[in-house]
Amino acid sequence: MTPPDDHDNSGRAMTTTTPAAVAELDFARVLTLVERRVVLRLGEALKVEGGTLEEWRVLSFLGDGAGHAMTEIAEFALLSAPTLTKVVDRMVSLNLVLRRVDDQDRRRVLVFASERGNETLTRWTAAVEREHESIVTTLGTEEAALLRALLQRASGRLG
């Protein structure tokens, strides 16, 4: 006999106001916990190399050698415009990126990785790759691949 909808598998009554029930329903919380732990680990690996996750994301986008508008970079790096401006200002002061007026549209400013930025990107990417491998080892190769595939599918479906 299956328990009624308002009971758990042991037949005990459940309400959606208990912490356990809320935690079970709070899919976003679980995703956030995993995301925070991964970001923390990657951030620590980059900190040792003198960078941040945000800076690495910006440089990795600019690593194609093409200049990009701030809106493109913000979308890729998952940053708000004001936060990106602060990150890019810091990176300009560290000579990691350069700002140039777009030759095609003088109203637009493009951001490019500098030579130093490209060298730094190589070092930072190696640190991220090492930490990524550590995370995959911790999760298990198959589970990490499955998690990635499921998250990519969910992201595509949720728009």
Side-chain angles (χ1 to χ4, degrees):
M1 175 174 156
T2 58
D5 290 341
D6 60 345
H7 290 73
D8 67 13
N9 290 335
S10 68
R12 293 184 302 231
M14 283 182 50
T15 67
T16 57
T17 58
T18 66
V22 169
E24 192 169 313
L25 292 174
D26 197 352
F27 180 67
R29 183 176 182 278
V30 174
L31 285 175
T32 300
L33 286 171
V34 171
E35 187 262 350
R36 284 183 181 172
R37 289 175 182 157
V38 169
V39 165
L40 180 66
R41 289 179 67 154
L42 294 175
E44 288 298 319
L46 285 163
K47 185 177 180 180
V48 169
E49 296 294 331
T52 67
L53 186 56
E54 293 81 8
E55 291 168 341
W56 174 73
R57 284 181 179 153
V58 169
L59 272 182
S60 66
F61 189 64
L62 299 176
D64 63 2
H68 293 278
M70 293 288 279
T71 53
E72 291 177 274
I73 300 167
E75 185 177 319
F76 178 84
L78 306 172
L79 297 172
S80 67
T83 300
L84 177 63
T85 298
K86 290 175 188 169
V87 170
V88 169
D89 286 347
R90 174 175 148 69
M91 294 176 77
V92 166
S93 71
L94 294 171
N95 193 28
L96 298 174
V97 300
L98 310 165
R99 288 186 182 110
R100 292 190 191 142
V101 174
D102 185 352
D103 292 335
Q104 315 304 331
D105 181 351
R106 306 287 299 160
R107 297 168 297 174
R108 248 173 48 134
V109 174
L110 301 177
V111 182
F112 295 82
S114 67
E115 186 176 328
R116 181 176 182 200
N118 285 321
E119 293 166 2
T120 301
L121 176 59
T122 300
R123 195 175 73 249
W124 288 355
T125 299
V128 168
E129 287 173 352
R130 284 190 303 273
E131 192 55 38
H132 177 263
E133 286 302 315
S134 175
I135 291 167
V136 168
T137 299
T138 299
L139 295 176
T141 304
E142 288 181 26
E143 285 190 19
L146 178 60
L147 178 60
R148 181 185 185 105
L150 290 171
L151 290 171
Q152 286 174 328
R153 191 178 318 149
S155 177
R157 289 180 181 171
L158 295 173

